[in-house]
Amino acid sequence: MKLSGAEIFIECLKAENVDTIFGYPGGAVLFLYDELYKAEARGDIRHILARHEQGAVHGAEGYAKSTDKPGVAIVTSGPGATNAVTGIADAYMDSVPLVVITGQVPLGLIGKDSFQEIDIVGITRPCVKHNFLVTSIEDIAPTMKKAFHIAMSGRPGPVLVDIPKDLTNPDVDKIEFNYPKELKMRSYQPTIKGNKKQIRTALKMIAEAKKPILYAGGGVVSAKAHKELTEFGQAFNFPVTNTLMGLGTYPSNDKQYIGMLGMHGTFEANRTMHHADLIICIGARFDDRVTGDLNKFSPNAKVIHIDIDPASISKNINAHNPIVGDVKEVLNSLFDIMKEEKIKPNKSAFDAWWKEIKEWQSVNCLAYDQDDKIIKAQYVVEKLWEVTNGDSYVASDVGQHQMFAAQYYKFNKPNRWINSGGLGTMGFGLPAAMGVQLAHPEEVVSVVTGDGSIQMCIQELGTCKQYDLPLNIINLNNGYLGMVRQWQEFFYEERYAMTYNQSLPDFVKLAEAYGHVGARIEKPADVEGALREAIKDTKRLHFLDFVVEEQGNVYPMIPAGYGHNEMYLNKQDAIDDMNGKK
Amino acid sequence: MFKTQKEEKQIRSRHILSLLMENETGALSRVSGLFSQRGYNIESLTVAPTDDPTLSRMTLVTKGNDASVEQIVKQLNKLIDIVKVMELSDYSHIEREIMFVKVAATNMESCASIKRMADIFRANVIDVKNKMYTIEITGRPDKLDGFLETMEEHKIIEVVRSGAMGITRGSNALKV
Ligand SMILES: Cc1ncc(C[n+]2csc(CCOP(=O)(O)OP(=O)(O)O)c2C)c(N)n1
C-alpha cells in the first residue's frame, strides 16, 4: 500500500516505539498533525500540546532524561522552529537524546524568503548532534531511521529533521513504506569497547596511587552505568564525587561519597580533587564550572579519563591515560581483567588519604542556621528531601535554588535529578518536569524553581492542567534573580543592577487561575506541613510559593578564576577576599 | 581556539589536514562552521568530489599548537558527515597549490622580465592581451609566495590561489 509522507512519518514513529510526542502545530506541519490526530484516535501515539515550543522541547528532554528513551518534539516552520532552538541547544549541551521535527515551507518556496521560512538547519547546526533537510518523500523513512540512531547512540544528543510541507501532502505523492531494518553509516561508528591495554594501564596507575579520587558525571547516567560505578568505587574504597550532571550515579548516602564538586561543590570534594595524585574521570568533561582556573587545578594529579566522546578527552585537562568507550563497557572489561589477573584491591591502601579527607569533611561546609522567623531556601530543599524520602524526581531551573537542590537533595538513584547543567537555561524546570511526570505518572515529581526562572515558562501551567500533571512546584521566592545578585554582591560592590524582581505576580492567584492549588508559605514552621500536603495530593498540581531569605547566598563558592583551594565558605571569606584585593 | 595572551606565544605551526566526507549538502558548512565556532583558523581550504561521487575530499591548512590541532582533528571526526581525517603533516607527503596571476607589463623590458621569471619558476604564461600577462603556476605554497614576491616589481592586477592540496607518498592512503 502506498502511503503519504505524513503517514510514513507516523509509521516511522511507531517503528521507533515512540508513544509520546511533544509539540505545537502550525501551517507547515498541518499534514503531519492530521495524521497525528488519526494516530491518537487509534491509540498509537499520544501528542502533548505545550504552550510554547520551548516548553515542548524541554518536555521532551525531561521525558528522555528520566527514561531510557529518546524525547520527540514536533514544531512548525519559522517561529515554531526558532522557539525550539533554546531547548535544542540545552539538549546539545547536556547530551540528551532528542529527535526534533520541524516543518519547512514547500520545497519550491525554500530560498525565497517565503512566509514563515527560516533556515533552521543552518541556525541549529552548531547546537545539534546532526540535522537533516529532507528533500524527497523517499528520504523520509531513511532519514528518520538515521535521526533516531544518531540521537541515541554514542554520546547522545539532539537531531533535527526539517521536512518541507509538500513532502507530507497526500495529493502530491504517495510511495511504498519501507523502514530500514539495519543501518550502517560509514561516517559514524562510535567506539564502544575500551582498549584493553589502556584499561590494564589504568589498573597499574590505581595500584600506584596514594591519593585517588573518582570523579563521575552525566556520561554515567547516559550509559546506565551507575551500578558498575558504585561497584568500582566500593571495590577500591575510592572517595567519590559527582558533577552536577552526575548526581545520583553514586548513592549519596554511601560513606565514600564526598558530595558534588566544582564552583558550589563541597569543601571536601574540592580539596580532595586539589590534593589528589590520581583522578579517575568517568563520563565527565572537566567543565570550567568544575575546574575553576585550569592552571591551579589539581596540580599533582595523573588523569585517567574514560569517555565515549574522544573530543572530551584532553580538551581542558590533559589525560595521561585516555580510554575511549562506553563507560559501562569499559568498567565491565576492567572487572573482567581484575578477575583474569586476580587483582584484589587493598581496602586499606588509602587509609591515610581518608584521614585527610575526614578532616575536610569535619568543616561541615553545608551547615546553616534556620531560625523561627525567615525561611532559608536550604531548609525547604532539605525538608523536601525528608518528606519525599529522597525518592522524588526533582527538576530544577537555574540559579541559587538549583544549587541548593543539588546540595541538599541527596540523590541515591540516577535519572531523578533533571536539570539544565551545560546551557543553564532558566525556564527549563517546569516543562521538563511535565515530561518526567508523563513518563512516570505514578511517581512524585517536584520542581525546585525561583521567582525569576518560573516566569520564563510559566505558560506551561496550562499544559499541566490539560494533562492533569500533579507536579509539586517549590518556588523559592527570594524576590531577586538571586544567583546574579550574589555575583553583584561579591564582585560589583553590591550594585544590584536589574536583579530585584519588581512587580512579581501573586503566584497563588496565578496558580489558581490556571486551575491548580496555590499556597504561600512565610514561616519556617509551616514548611514541612505544606510540603506534606502537596505530596499527599496525587491528583492536583500544587504551587508552593515559599517566601525565603531575600539575600541569602550559595556557599561554598569558588569564584570564577580561583583554584579549588581558594573557596569561600561563608560571607566573611568573601569580605576578607575583597578587602585583600583593595 | 581563541587564546589568552599567554597561550598566544606558544608555538603555532602549520598543519595540513586531509578529509574524506560524505558529498552531502551542508557538509562543507559543518566543517567551516566548526572552525569559526571553536575559534580555529583556516589558512586555506579546497574541496571537490572524488572518483567516488558520494565522497568529497578536502584539504585544509590550519595553524595551531599540537594540542589544539589534536582537538581540531577530534572535533572533525565527531561531525557525522566526516568519514576520515588524516593529518598529512604526520606523513611523508606531497603538497601542491595552483595560482593564476595577472600582471600588467608597463614596457618592453618588463614583458621580458615577466617571461624570464615565469621560466625560472616553471610557470606558464597562459594568456596575453593588451599587455596583460596571465600566468599559471603550480607548486608548494611557499614557492607561489616566492613567485608573487618577484612579481611585485610589476603591477599585479589579480591573484587567484586554489589553496593547498596534498597526498601521501607511497602506500599510505586516505580512502574508505
Ligand atoms: C534564559 C536565561 N537568562 C538569563 C540567565 C542568567 N541567570 C542565571 S541565574 C539567574 C537568576 C535566576 O533567578 P531565580 O530564578 O529567581 O533564582 P534564584 O537564583 O533567585 O534562586 C539569571 C538571570 C540564565 N541562566 N538563563
Side-chain angles (χ1 to χ4, degrees), chain A residues 135-192:
Chain A
T135 52
S136 75
I137 182 169
E138 286 79 14
D139 282 347
I140 294 178
T143 306
M144 290 294 286
K145 175 85 186 176
K146 278 188 197 162
F148 278 93
H149 174 64
I150 294 170
M152 292 292 285
S153 55
R155 178 177 179 177
V159 178
L160 179 139
V161 182
D162 199 24
I163 308 182
K165 182 175 185 180
D166 47 341
L167 303 188
T168 60
N169 181 347
D171 295 334
V172 172
D173 204 0
K174 287 188 169 193
I175 59 163
E176 289 294 336
F177 170 68
N178 260 319
Y179 202 61
K181 281 202 184 64
E182 293 258 321
L183 188 63
K184 269 232 164 85
M185 292 177 73
R186 62 183 171 187
S187 61
Y188 175 67
Q189 282 146 355
T191 307
I192 305 297

Side-chain angles (χ1 to χ4, degrees), chain A residues 54 86 397-402 404 423-427 449-454 456 475-476 478-485 499 501:
Chain A
Q54 182 184 353
T86 301
D397 268 302
V398 173
Q400 294 181 317
H401 60 271
Q402 174 191 28
F404 290 138
L423 195 65
T425 312
M426 289 171 70
T449 183
D451 45 301
S453 294
I454 191 65
M456 284 220 178
N475 189 33
L476 299 177
N478 53 13
Y480 281 94
L481 299 174
M483 184 56 95
V484 183
R485 189 208 55 74
T499 45
N501 271 341

Side-chain angles (χ1 to χ4, degrees), chain A residues 199-208 236 334 337-338 343:
Chain A
I199 299 176
R200 285 204 171 84
T201 308
L203 283 164
K204 277 204 200 85
M205 290 169 77
I206 291 170
E208 283 159 17
F236 286 91
L334 182 138
I337 293 173
M338 283 175 66
I343 298 176

Side-chain angles (χ1 to χ4, degrees), chain A residues 131 186-187 309-310 313, chain B residues 22 29-30 54 74 78 80:
Chain A
N131 58 18
R186 62 183 171 187
S187 61
D309 176 13
I313 300 180
Chain B
E22 297 290 353
S29 24
R30 285 181 214 281
T54 66
K74 285 175 171 178
K78 202 170 154 179
I80 306 284

Side-chain angles (χ1 to χ4, degrees), chain A residues 4-224:
Chain A
S4 71
E7 288 169 323
I8 289 174
F9 169 75
I10 300 291
E11 290 307 313
C12 294
L13 295 183
K14 280 163 62 185
E16 293 290 343
N17 298 316
V18 173
D19 55 17
T20 306
I21 171 168
F22 299 80
Y24 207 91
V29 284
L30 271 167
F31 292 112
L32 295 177
Y33 267 82
D34 200 35
E35 289 307 322
L36 275 170
Y37 179 85
K38 297 177 200 163
E40 190 148 49
R42 289 193 303 265
D44 285 345
I45 295 166
R46 157 177 75 157
H47 178 279
I48 304 299
L49 177 68
R51 296 300 185 266
H52 185 292
E53 289 84 354
Q54 182 184 353
V57 181
H58 290 328
E61 283 189 275
Y63 186 89
K65 280 185 181 224
S66 65
T67 61
D68 49 14
K69 296 202 263 181
V72 185
I74 175 170
V75 300
T76 192
S77 68
T82 53
N83 272 350
V85 172
T86 301
I88 294 169
D90 190 89
Y92 177 70
M93 295 295 280
D94 285 349
S95 309
V96 186
L98 287 192
V99 174
V100 179
I101 294 97
T102 48
Q104 182 54 278
V105 299
L107 278 175
L109 290 181
I110 292 181
K112 300 189 172 155
D113 303 319
S114 310
F115 177 63
Q116 295 196 327
E117 181 194 354
I118 201 77
D119 174 15
I120 196 63
V121 167
I123 288 180
T124 56
R125 200 170 281 133
C127 62
V128 290
K129 185 168 173 189
H130 198 58
N131 58 18
F132 298 93
L133 168 66
V134 184
T135 52
S136 75
I137 182 169
E138 286 79 14
D139 282 347
I140 294 178
T143 306
M144 290 294 286
K145 175 85 186 176
K146 278 188 197 162
F148 278 93
H149 174 64
I150 294 170
M152 292 292 285
S153 55
R155 178 177 179 177
V159 178
L160 179 139
V161 182
D162 199 24
I163 308 182
K165 182 175 185 180
D166 47 341
L167 303 188
T168 60
N169 181 347
D171 295 334
V172 172
D173 204 0
K174 287 188 169 193
I175 59 163
E176 289 294 336
F177 170 68
N178 260 319
Y179 202 61
K181 281 202 184 64
E182 293 258 321
L183 188 63
K184 269 232 164 85
M185 292 177 73
R186 62 183 171 187
S187 61
Y188 175 67
Q189 282 146 355
T191 307
I192 305 297
K193 290 236 179 308
N195 180 313
K196 288 237 160 115
K197 215 176 111 210
Q198 311 275 86
I199 299 176
R200 285 204 171 84
T201 308
L203 283 164
K204 277 204 200 85
M205 290 169 77
I206 291 170
E208 283 159 17
K210 299 213 162 44
K211 302 179 169 195
I213 180 169
L214 182 53
Y215 149 55
V220 179
V221 183
S222 303
K224 302 175 221 12

